[in-house]
Amino acid sequence: MNDFLFASALTLFAGLATGAGSLLALTTRRTDAKFLSVSLGFSAGVMIYVSLVEIFVKAQDSLVAVLGARAGAWATVGGVFGGILLIAVIDRLVPARANPHEYPHDDDGRSRRLMRMGTMTALAIALHNFPEGFATFVVAMQEPSLAIPVVVAIALHNVPEGVAVSVPIHHATGSRRKAFQWSFLSGLAEPVGGILGYLLLRPFMTDTVFGVVFAGVAGIMVFVSLDKLLPTAREYGEHHLSIYGLVAGMGVMALSLLLFL
């Protein structure tokens, strides 16, 4: 029971870091377009880097170990593009304007796009956090001494992910409460994924399933970054601001991974 509570506390801490990231959005003025541009570029850099450098590699290692080099590589690539297809279909099914009163500041369609982008980002992050929470929970249960640096690294990942959710929703609705709620809920997928995964999915979570899921998550995050975050970042600021933010996000994520090698 003590190990279970320890693992639960660690995954909850990692998930709450997403909410901490949203607080950064709440300290800015709604009209600060430069901050919005840099923040969205930063978030895109974080998501692209962690997807292609960390998540993709973990997925491929898992699948290659089970299926062999050739089949594992094909399965990884298939999982990535399967995730892209899934989020693209979801994107097409989400109504462009489910509630006309949701966007009181919208005069040119930008707020609708920001709100849609923010909710899609929250979905991608939640899908990412669910298996990540399960993996963290298992590490904490089996190797408690290794769990703390893993959780700290994940928490560092989750802070800018919270910005990715909060900033567009805050600018779309003008509501700090809604921005924080969406970010907080996407972060809660971390402890939920850990606890439910351990209690229900562990007997069925083979290396093959784990690898395919992680590959799909990488595809989802790359799609959201390229289709939502970067175009909007460029629209709201100078071209170079979004690129500077993207490079900074990649650098921060790279540093967070190197610190816990």
Side-chain angles (χ1 to χ4, degrees):
M1 179 58 69
N2 288 338
D3 289 342
F4 183 87
L5 293 176
F6 175 71
S8 300
L10 287 182
T11 53
L12 178 61
F13 169 77
L16 292 179
T18 306
S22 74
L23 296 179
L24 298 177
L26 306 184
T27 61
T28 64
R29 298 193 313 273
R30 188 180 167 277
T31 56
D32 192 349
K34 288 186 177 181
F35 175 82
L36 176 62
S37 179
V38 173
S39 297
L40 293 176
F42 182 89
S43 301
V46 167
M47 295 175 72
I48 291 172
Y49 192 91
V50 74
S51 295
L52 299 181
V53 174
E54 183 186 27
I55 299 176
F56 182 91
V57 172
K58 286 183 177 179
Q60 183 165 262
D61 288 345
S62 179
L63 291 170
V64 166
V66 177
L67 304 176
R70 184 176 180 83
W74 276 96
T76 305
V77 173
V80 169
F81 284 96
I84 291 174
L85 178 62
L86 173 64
I87 200 65
V89 170
I90 293 173
D91 187 38
R92 296 292 297 176
L93 295 177
V94 173
R97 190 166 190 167
N99 183 354
H101 302 293
E102 184 74 12
Y103 317 103
H105 306 286
D106 184 24
D107 57 0
D108 60 1
R110 284 183 173 180
S111 291
R112 290 196 302 274
R113 292 196 296 274
L114 278 171
M115 185 66 186
R116 193 177 183 186
M117 179 189 62
T119 55
M120 295 299 290
T121 302
L123 174 62
I125 289 172
L127 291 173
H128 170 209
N129 286 348
F130 194 92
E132 185 179 83
F134 172 71
T136 304
F137 199 95
V138 171
V139 171
M141 290 290 293
Q142 296 181 345
E143 298 289 342
S145 62
L146 300 178
I148 292 179
V150 170
V151 168
V152 171
I154 291 174
L156 290 175
H157 300 174
N158 289 347
V159 169
E161 289 176 355
V163 175
V165 176
S166 290
V167 169
I169 293 177
H170 178 213
H171 283 254
T173 66
S175 172
R176 289 176 171 83
R177 178 177 59 83
K178 290 180 181 179
F180 179 80
Q181 285 177 342
W182 275 97
S183 177
F184 181 76
L185 289 174
S186 68
L188 284 183
E190 192 98 33
V192 170
I195 295 172
L196 288 182
Y198 182 78
L199 296 178
L200 301 176
L201 303 180
R202 188 181 181 187
F204 312 100
M205 186 60 71
T206 65
D207 289 340
T208 301
V209 173
F210 186 83
V212 171
V213 168
F214 255 61
V217 165
I220 289 171
M221 295 181 71
V222 169
F223 179 88
V224 170
S225 299
L226 298 180
D227 185 61
K228 305 295 180 184
L229 296 178
L230 280 179
T232 307
R234 294 182 63 181
E235 180 179 353
Y236 273 79
E238 301 174 8
H239 166 72
H240 291 295
L241 289 179
S242 60
I243 299 303
Y244 295 156
L246 182 141
V247 174
M250 295 179 73
V252 168
M253 183 55 61
L255 181 61
S256 74
L257 294 175
L258 291 172
L259 288 175
F260 297 101
L261 281 177

